[in-house]
Amino acid sequence: DAKTTQPPSMDCAEGRAANLPCNHSTISGNEYVYWYRQIHSQGPQYIIHGLKNNETNEMASLIITEDRKSSTLILPHATLRDTAVYYCIVSNFGNEKLTFGTGTRLTIIP
Amino acid sequence: DSGVTQTPKHLITATGQRVTLRCSPRSGDLSVYWYQQSLDQGLQFLIQYYNGEERAKGNILERFSAQQFPDLHSELNLSSLELGDSALYFCASSGAGTAWYNEQFFGPGTRLTVL
């Protein structure tokens, strides 16, 4: 699986959009980008995934660059409950194990 | 609530002992995954079972073993415990062994403390 690079920490004001970057410059053509988050010591929670098109769901939006070497997770209106560690994972089609890196610790500031 | 349950929530034991962690997947999910989260190693994949069969193995020690039963619940057995085995152990499940995307549903975890 391709390696990912994320900033170790970020702050965002409550109510603003939180934009979390991820670099995956060695991604290959059949690898998907997944985002999970872990609130405190709870089990990780799936957020969104994408291959090459931008994706949106009720939780977030995922913007993948045209060359697929980086992506950005956007939480449109961050709340205090969005404070968590966010993991960007790149994984092959059919490879079901998740390889978590160190993630980005996002803190939402009131 | 992910629908995945894990017992016990907390476990405190001594070095050299053996423990069993239990996981019940979401209703209908055939795949079960085990992950270990320690302070120094982060979240690491241990092993996956699909419908009773081992499907993938990660950084699982030989002292650790797992199985998935006909009712699809899974157990992770940890033996000859060492201080370094203290960690959060998560179980996750997913809907199909050949899912084209990888949404896994995680349980609340079992916190193991080895003294």
Side-chain angles (χ1 to χ4, degrees), chain A residues 32 34 36 38 40-46 49 87 91-101, chain B residues 31 33 35 37 43 45 48 55 88 90 94 96-104 106-108 111:
Chain A
Y32 286 77
Y34 301 90
Y36 279 73
Q38 186 176 24
H40 194 45
S41 293
Q42 298 176 23
Q45 177 191 23
Y46 165 85
H49 74 280
Y87 297 97
S91 186
N92 258 329
F93 170 86
N95 178 12
E96 294 172 59
K97 77 173 192 185
L98 295 174
T99 302
F100 290 84
Chain B
S31 276
Y33 313 78
Y35 292 83
Q37 186 171 31
L43 256 169
F45 168 76
Q48 179 203 355
R55 189 169 176 108
L88 263 171
F90 289 106
S94 70
T98 55
W100 65 272
Y101 75 94
N102 208 352
E103 181 174 1
Q104 295 183 15
F106 283 76
R111 183 175 294 280

Side-chain angles (χ1 to χ4, degrees), chain B residues 6-11 88 108-112:
Chain B
Q6 291 187 247
T7 56
K9 275 192 170 174
H10 302 276
L11 199 45
L88 263 171
T110 292
R111 183 175 294 280
L112 173 67

